[in-house]
Amino acid sequence: MGEPWLDDASFKQERPDMSADSSERYQSSQRLAEGIVAELYDAIPTKFLQMLQNENHFKDVVSFLMTCSCFYCELTRTHKFIHQVNQQRSSTVLRIKREIAPLIFGGNMSRFAANFDRGSEPDFQKLLKFDIGSCKYPKLAPILYPDLKKNAKKIFRNLFLVKVCL
């Protein structure tokens, strides 16, 4: 069942003259409503249809269970998707740190290892802060400007950014 919120009237209607997966379903709002009813008839076993049409309690229980089932499936798919995106992001960041960062910033590859303390490294801090002694980072870091000097007319013209694009 693809429709998570069913109208109460959907349970009281006769089976429409089209199948749930018919392309006619999307021709009008009335046909869309009929498609939902057709989908309902496909999802509910025939032996329960009579009860579904006549008893409100059964309708409420079935409606709730169908909604939960769809919600659970969607939640599972969403969780798997988010997990895969996070895995890909982690792999990409690791690859950037290992292979790309040394090409962009130069220097020893050990500077990009996970356990390296870049917070105390002056070369990294001057790319991120105008005042190395400050604990705060500016919204627009020095790395965005040529010669690491703030100049709104020259923002995004640092050679590091060009290397990132290559």
Side-chain angles (χ1 to χ4, degrees):
M1 188 76 200
E3 184 67 33
W5 295 279
L6 296 171
D7 182 36
D8 285 348
S10 300
F11 292 90
K12 303 289 183 187
Q13 294 180 25
E14 294 292 323
R15 185 181 193 103
D17 62 340
M18 71 170 167
S19 67
D21 57 357
S22 172
S23 61
E24 295 175 10
R25 177 179 181 161
Y26 303 102
Q27 290 177 346
S28 68
S29 58
Q30 180 183 350
R31 293 301 275 175
L32 186 60
E34 289 174 0
I36 292 170
V37 173
E39 197 174 353
L40 180 66
Y41 272 85
D42 288 348
I44 305 298
T46 309
K47 63 183 180 179
F48 297 124
L49 287 174
Q50 187 67 30
M51 284 190 288
L52 186 61
Q53 291 174 343
N54 297 324
E55 296 179 28
N56 285 335
H57 176 70
F58 184 78
K59 175 202 66 158
D60 293 341
V61 171
V62 169
S63 180
F64 173 76
L65 292 175
M66 288 170 61
T67 302
C68 289
S69 156
C70 290
F71 178 74
Y72 177 75
C73 291
E74 191 61 35
L75 186 63
T76 302
R77 277 186 284 207
T78 302
H79 175 72
K80 287 179 182 177
F81 175 76
I82 290 171
H83 177 74
Q84 289 300 322
V85 168
N86 287 338
Q87 287 293 103
Q88 183 60 43
R89 184 179 350 176
S90 177
S91 298
T92 301
V93 168
L94 186 60
R95 183 168 180 248
I96 288 170
K97 284 173 61 176
R98 286 184 182 161
E99 301 172 22
I100 309 300
L103 296 174
I104 294 170
F105 298 105
N108 190 344
M109 287 182 65
S110 65
R111 295 169 62 197
F112 302 100
N115 60 353
F116 188 81
D117 183 15
R118 286 175 286 282
S120 62
E121 177 72 32
D123 289 341
F124 283 108
Q125 291 303 304
K126 72 179 184 180
L127 297 173
L128 302 174
K129 299 181 198 175
F130 292 104
D131 179 11
I132 295 176
S134 173
C135 294
K136 295 185 178 185
Y137 292 90
K139 288 182 181 179
L140 299 172
I143 194 171
L144 300 176
Y145 303 97
D147 302 322
L148 307 178
K149 294 184 174 126
K150 191 172 187 173
N151 182 346
K153 292 181 181 180
K154 295 184 178 184
I155 193 167
F156 304 121
R157 293 187 185 173
N158 190 314
L159 184 57
F160 290 130
L161 299 177
V162 174
K163 288 181 181 180
V164 167
C165 295
L166 298 175

